[in-house]
Amino acid sequence: MLAKIKELVLSVQHLFAMAGACLLVPLLTGLDPMVALLGSGVGTLIFHACTKRKMPVFLASSFAFIPPIIAVGAMYNGDLAYAQGGIICVGLIYIVLSLIFRVISVEKVTKVFSPTVVGSMIVIIAFSLMPSALNNIIYMDSASLFNPLTFGLAVLTLIIAVAISKFGKGFFGQLGIIIALIIGYIASIALGLVDLTPILSSPIVAVPNFTFPKFSLNAIIMIVPLILAVFMEHIGDVLVNGEVTGNNFLEDPGLKRSFLGDGLATLFAGFIGAPVNTTYSENTSLLAITKNYNPRLLRYTAVIAIILSFVAVIGAALQNTPSWVVGGISLYLYCMIAWIGYRNIKKNNTFSSTYKMIILIVMVVLGLGLSFADDFGIQLVISGFSLSEFALAISAIAGIILSIIFTASGKISDVKLEDYK
């Protein structure tokens, strides 16, 4: 009984780790947050069924598709049903990719995605996510002035999470994230920084606002190209998850199953009005922190998410989590992702090889340079799309091409499956 209670608490912690990002996407795009929560829960269960219940992965709202969903909504006067049509097409393409991976060997995939390429991808993903965490930490009040009180609460949340995870013993040491989040939340309420009206006025139970999809070629063209970035992200996350847990998920259950699971989950999301589903790095980094890799925990989290999607008052409480508290937690999680990427790079002896270093430098410069170009007022636009939206894909493609060239010329050795174990 005690073991089950521990698993339940750890599952709730996974819920908190993903909830902020999962709910932020629909809030930014205009989709229903409770539908997104339901879509992530059902999508995760679909993914686990497709991957033989072996991968400790949670699926939730993808940030990559925020710009095109907003653009489609503006094009059709706020009717996001047309965005749903594009999301369904993304899911179908994922399913096609899963069929392609049934005839492409894992060895061919590993030759293309070397540990240097993968490690660099992971580091780029982590650093490209950090500005969102920092923006939440450096919270601005209504007058756009720096708020030292919320900043202090964000730092307090971060310190508590790190301290418990680092120095906590046994089961208590696995609860750093959820304890820090609760303390930060309560402290914010006590200081009068949280408006409880949305929670107090919310009904206890409510059915999520499901919507049916509509299809438009223009909307599909705007949304589908972003699949290239998510394709790279998916492979990177599968490899990260395997690196964290000590498994080779490229081989078993394989990309054919992981892409199928992601595709079916996104297909379901599109039909009910939820965002594109993707594997969540927040939960993978939480695995690294807790050292508990049981996939069953993520399925429990999925079931809890499904139940909560019908409990409006709890959903309101999740949506009402102070942004500075989320920022403190997120910064810790993203730093863990960066550390995993660095460990992957170091393990492959990248720093002792000139050619591997060339791959690393080119990928980081392209990935981070394009990601932050807009922030420095540099507009890099092709056919109406900002290159910053494709930063990860462009960086990964450059790394893959260099890796293939250097491997074919004998400058670096072939990659073996053992390199991922």
Side-chain angles (χ1 to χ4, degrees):
M1 182 64 180
L2 182 59
K4 289 294 183 183
I5 294 175
K6 288 182 178 180
E7 288 187 345
L8 180 62
V9 173
L10 288 174
S11 299
V12 172
Q13 183 169 245
H14 273 288
L15 180 75
F16 277 107
M18 54 69 62
C22 175
L23 296 174
L24 181 60
V25 174
L27 289 174
L28 291 176
T29 57
L31 296 170
D32 189 283
M34 293 299 97
V35 176
L37 196 59
L38 176 66
S40 69
V42 174
T44 298
L45 294 179
I46 291 173
F47 184 90
H48 280 245
C50 291
T51 54
K52 301 188 289 186
R53 302 190 299 176
K54 290 186 174 183
M55 294 179 63
V57 165
F58 196 91
L59 268 61
S61 310
S62 171
F63 274 76
F65 290 86
I66 290 176
I69 292 176
I70 293 175
V72 169
M75 180 186 295
Y76 293 97
N77 299 316
D79 190 353
L80 292 174
Y82 290 100
Q84 291 178 238
I87 291 170
I88 289 173
C89 292
V90 170
L92 291 173
I93 293 174
Y94 259 69
I95 294 172
V96 172
L97 287 172
S98 74
L99 297 176
I100 293 174
F101 276 109
R102 288 184 178 274
V103 297
I104 296 179
S105 67
V106 178
E107 285 75 12
K108 290 182 179 179
V109 175
T110 56
K111 285 184 178 181
V112 173
F113 292 92
S114 68
T116 298
V117 172
V118 172
S120 301
M121 284 173 59
I122 296 167
V123 170
I124 293 166
I125 289 172
F127 281 100
S128 64
L129 289 171
M130 284 183 186
S132 66
L134 292 173
N135 285 336
N136 284 332
I137 290 174
I138 307 173
Y139 174 77
M140 301 294 180
D141 60 19
S142 57
S144 298
L145 298 175
F146 173 72
N147 191 325
L149 188 56
T150 57
F151 177 79
L153 288 171
V155 174
L156 174 66
T157 304
L158 174 62
I159 291 174
I160 292 173
V162 173
I164 294 176
S165 299
K166 179 68 175 178
F167 302 108
K169 302 297 183 182
F171 180 64
F172 176 73
Q174 300 179 30
L175 302 179
I177 300 296
I178 192 169
I179 291 174
L181 194 147
I182 291 173
I183 292 175
Y185 204 145
I186 293 175
S188 299
I189 293 173
L191 292 171
L193 298 171
V194 179
D195 182 10
L196 298 178
T197 303
I199 302 173
L200 298 175
S201 61
S202 176
I204 296 177
V205 178
V207 176
N209 183 28
F210 301 118
T211 55
F212 293 100
K214 298 177 183 177
F215 294 89
S216 161
L217 182 59
N218 287 338
I220 292 171
I221 290 175
M222 291 183 70
I223 290 177
V224 165
L226 268 295
I227 198 171
L228 181 60
V230 184
F231 169 79
M232 301 300 184
E233 180 184 39
H234 176 98
I235 295 177
D237 283 345
V238 169
L239 288 165
V240 175
N241 200 266
E243 175 73 17
V244 169
T245 60
N247 294 292
N248 182 11
F249 291 135
L250 279 179
E251 190 173 51
D252 184 24
L255 291 176
K256 61 181 182 294
R257 288 182 173 273
S258 65
F259 269 104
L260 177 62
D262 214 337
L264 291 176
T266 297
L267 200 62
F268 174 79
F271 275 111
I272 66 173
V276 173
N277 272 317
T278 188
T279 49
Y280 254 34
S281 300
E282 288 89 341
N283 295 95
T284 299
S285 57
L286 187 55
L287 295 174
I289 293 170
T290 63
K291 301 295 189 297
N292 192 319
Y293 311 131
N294 192 337
R296 185 171 62 245
L297 299 179
L298 282 304
R299 292 193 288 274
Y300 289 163
T301 304
V303 172
I304 295 170
I306 293 170
I307 294 172
L308 291 182
S309 69
F310 291 92
V311 182
V313 66
I314 296 181
L318 285 173
Q319 293 180 60
N320 216 35
T321 303
S323 60
W324 49 89
V325 173
V326 174
I329 295 296
S330 298
L331 185 61
Y332 181 32
L333 295 177
Y334 298 155
C335 285
M336 284 300 301
I337 297 172
W339 165 250
I340 292 168
Y342 168 77
R343 188 175 62 184
N344 206 328
I345 292 169
K346 184 178 180 182
K347 176 179 160 184
N348 192 42
N349 298 319
T350 298
F351 300 119
S352 61
S353 167
T354 301
Y355 297 97
K356 290 179 181 179
M357 282 297 297
I358 291 173
I359 295 173
L360 170 63
I361 293 169
V362 168
M363 288 187 66
V364 170
V365 169
L366 280 176
L368 296 183
L370 292 175
S371 293
F372 301 133
D374 292 346
D375 298 325
F376 290 97
I378 303 172
Q379 299 295 320
L380 302 173
V381 180
I382 296 179
S383 299
F385 286 96
S386 172
L387 291 182
S388 63
E389 298 170 359
F390 300 91
L392 178 60
I394 294 171
S395 172
I397 291 172
I400 290 168
I401 292 174
L402 288 174
S403 181
I404 292 173
I405 292 174
F406 292 154
T407 301
S409 61
K411 304 297 183 182
I412 58 177
S413 58
D414 285 337
V415 179
K416 301 180 177 59
L417 287 175
E418 288 72 18
D419 295 328
Y420 295 100
K421 293 182 180 178

